[in-house]
Amino acid sequence: MTVALLSRLRALAAPRMPLLPRVAEEIARSQRESELWVGAAQILVVALAAVAYACVPRGFSPDAPIAALPLGLFALALLIALRGWFAWTGQLSRAVLAASVVAEMSVLIGVLWGFASQYETTLPIALKNALFSAIFVLIALRALRFDPVWVWLSGLTAALGWSALSIAAWWTSAPGERTWDAVVAASSGRIHAGDEAIRVASILIVTALLATALARARMTLARAVQASQSADALSRFFDSEVADQITTTDLAPMAGQSMAREAAVMFTDLRGFTKASATLSAAELIALIGEYQNVVLPVVRAHGGNIDKFMGDGILASFGAVRASSTYAADALRCIGAILETSHAWAVDRSKRGLPALGIGIGVAHGPLVFGIIGVAQRLEYTVIGETVNLAAKLEKHNKAESAAACATASLIDLAQQQDPHVAAGGFHLRPRRNVAGVAEPLDLAVWPAA
């Protein structure tokens, strides 16, 4: 019966939007953590109640047959500790949690019933105790788990428990101890059926409101978790800053959205890749590209760059395009040296493993470009466009003509030193008026010789 009730409550409280398995698992993980917070909050409430009980003068005889409140607080603490152990060890099943919720509320109802014996009075008088408000505290604490089903279970248990107490008080009372006059009930120890019905209704109304609010909040949480995981997934296909723009922009992405920037563009290429690919298996080829990308990507990102796209053994990166930067040229200059240093170490490592030691070629240009979205509605792409991008690609190809590992425009060096006077400007040679294929006028270049 309990299982069937839980199923019905779960169906009532379930969000209308279908949850992806990974989203459901993330919410479930959050709920498991929140159960520890529920236990901590309950322990705090029990501790405060124990302190208040110890400080307040006793209003009952020392010979009373039962001390309901101390026994109840001890039982609650024991139940909370037991549930906390199950939660901490990962053994808190839904059945155990359901039994715990029902048991905790039952203990509280039992304490209210025990007041009649503790104070040696009638049950109708015991039901007027202010501890009735603790029922709402116990129900509200269930909301910390962010699952309306437990609020419903706690509230329905409270409503049934209070109904049972009210019925018992009514039937065990003498006719003179019952009344239908609210004023008489409030000023005497008589029981008023209407008052008790209102209390039960209050429990149910508060439970319904709290569960409804929690269900709506849970849907918001599900959307937030799904959006967060979508952003994480996007960051695997896009640079992290591009993924942030996609997920946080107020406007829906569409072709044509763009912005003009002053930025630096870097092309890298794997030297000797074509020759190596003829002798490597498909798995070895993929492994080689993966190693190469793991060499370049961390260095680019560490120097403030963004990866635009992969093109086989080529990588297109930008500095200051996705987000405006006042040091884009200095960042790109530092990145050239760092990639060359890292690629040399990578080549040495591959040689030690008996694998082909390949180099990395780099071309860098700076100037105006456009960063934006191209494509059609069904297939969009964030990228950088402009003559600066084309020049960087041509400079990367020009490395062979210069027997170089990297080529950049000489103006990049000047701009980098203006942006950051402390930038290290070494390791390259300035070569004026070099003819670059596809470029009409000769260019002054900075060239890093191949090792």
Side-chain angles (χ1 to χ4, degrees):
M1 181 176 178
T2 303
V3 175
L5 177 60
L6 278 175
S7 298
R8 289 181 179 275
L9 292 178
R10 187 169 178 79
L12 178 63
R16 297 180 181 274
M17 62 177 292
L19 297 182
L20 296 174
R22 67 176 187 271
V23 176
E25 174 55 31
E26 177 64 22
I27 292 177
R29 184 192 62 77
S30 177
Q31 288 178 339
R32 288 192 294 270
E33 292 178 354
S34 66
E35 191 59 44
L36 298 175
W37 287 102
V38 173
Q42 288 178 328
I43 285 292
L44 178 61
V45 171
V46 169
L48 291 175
V51 170
Y53 178 80
C55 297
V56 173
R58 301 292 181 268
F60 56 88
S61 170
D63 299 327
I66 187 174
L69 188 57
L71 285 176
L73 292 177
F74 176 78
L76 278 175
L78 188 61
L79 285 171
I80 295 167
L82 184 61
R83 190 188 71 248
W85 179 81
F86 275 106
W88 184 261
T89 58
Q91 303 179 66
L92 187 63
S93 65
R94 295 185 69 80
V96 172
L97 181 55
S100 173
V101 171
V102 173
E104 290 166 4
M105 187 59 72
S106 298
V107 166
L108 181 56
I109 297 297
V111 169
L112 291 167
W113 173 81
F115 278 163
S117 297
Q118 179 174 341
Y119 290 93
E120 299 177 285
T121 185
T122 62
L123 188 54
I125 293 178
L127 294 186
K128 298 180 183 296
N129 194 287
L131 198 62
F132 170 75
S133 59
I135 290 176
F136 298 100
V137 174
L138 209 55
I139 295 172
L141 284 172
R142 277 289 118 210
L144 293 178
R145 190 179 167 89
F146 237 79
D147 192 343
V149 67
W150 307 115
V151 173
W152 275 114
L153 185 60
S154 183
L156 290 177
T157 302
L160 289 172
W162 194 265
S163 297
L165 286 179
S166 300
I167 292 172
W170 182 268
W171 289 109
T172 57
S173 300
E177 296 175 333
R178 305 170 187 167
T179 183
W180 290 98
D181 189 322
V183 175
V184 172
S187 59
S188 69
R190 299 182 185 184
I191 185 171
H192 188 288
D195 284 350
E196 304 311 318
I198 290 173
R199 288 189 174 93
V200 172
S202 298
I203 293 172
L204 292 175
I205 291 171
V206 169
T207 298
L209 291 175
L210 187 57
T212 300
L214 201 56
R216 292 175 60 84
R218 182 179 167 86
M219 286 195 295
T220 302
L221 174 65
R223 293 190 184 98
V225 171
Q226 190 160 327
S228 175
Q229 292 194 345
S230 296
D232 290 341
L234 278 174
S235 66
R236 296 174 182 267
F237 295 92
F238 297 92
D239 188 89
S240 58
E241 290 195 0
V242 175
D244 287 343
Q245 288 203 13
I246 294 173
T247 55
T248 60
T249 181
D250 292 334
L251 300 175
M254 63 180 64
Q257 291 178 359
S258 63
M259 57 194 74
R261 298 279 201 213
E262 287 286 335
V265 176
M266 174 183 290
F267 269 93
T268 70
D269 184 70
L270 198 53
R271 292 286 182 241
F273 177 75
T274 302
K275 182 179 178 180
S277 63
T279 61
L280 297 177
S281 67
E284 291 171 333
L285 196 61
I286 293 299
L288 171 60
I289 292 177
E291 284 189 30
Y292 157 61
Q293 292 172 345
N294 282 322
V295 167
V296 175
L297 265 64
V299 179
V300 170
R301 287 173 174 163
H303 290 81
N306 299 102
I307 302 300
D308 186 282
K309 60 170 65 68
F310 301 114
M311 301 165 291
D313 64 324
I315 298 174
L316 170 59
S318 62
F319 299 80
V322 179
R323 294 188 187 279
S325 169
S326 60
T327 59
Y328 63 86
D331 294 337
L333 180 57
R334 290 191 185 95
C335 189
I336 293 173
I339 290 177
L340 292 178
E341 181 179 348
T342 306
S343 66
H344 175 71
W346 177 51
V348 172
D349 176 66
R350 284 185 63 84
S351 294
K352 290 179 180 179
R353 290 184 282 149
L355 299 172
L358 306 183
I360 297 176
I362 304 170
V364 180
H366 74 93
L369 53 76
V370 174
F371 170 71
I373 305 175
I374 61 172
V376 294
Q378 295 77 18
R379 177 65 173 87
L380 300 175
E381 180 180 357
Y382 272 90
T383 191
V384 286
I385 307 169
E387 187 55 37
T388 301
V389 181
N390 298 334
L391 179 57
K394 292 169 183 175
L395 289 177
E396 189 281 317
K397 294 184 183 299
H398 187 69
N399 279 315
K400 293 181 181 179
E402 300 287 350
S403 298
C407 282
T409 56
S411 58
L412 177 78
I413 310 299
D414 297 334
L415 180 59
Q417 292 176 328
Q418 292 174 25
Q419 292 179 350
D420 184 356
H422 302 292
V423 67
F428 58 85
H429 304 297
L430 291 176
R431 297 180 180 176
R433 298 188 60 79
R434 310 301 287 184
N435 293 313
V436 177
V439 180
E441 298 294 332
L443 294 176
D444 295 337
L445 299 181
V447 175
W448 286 255

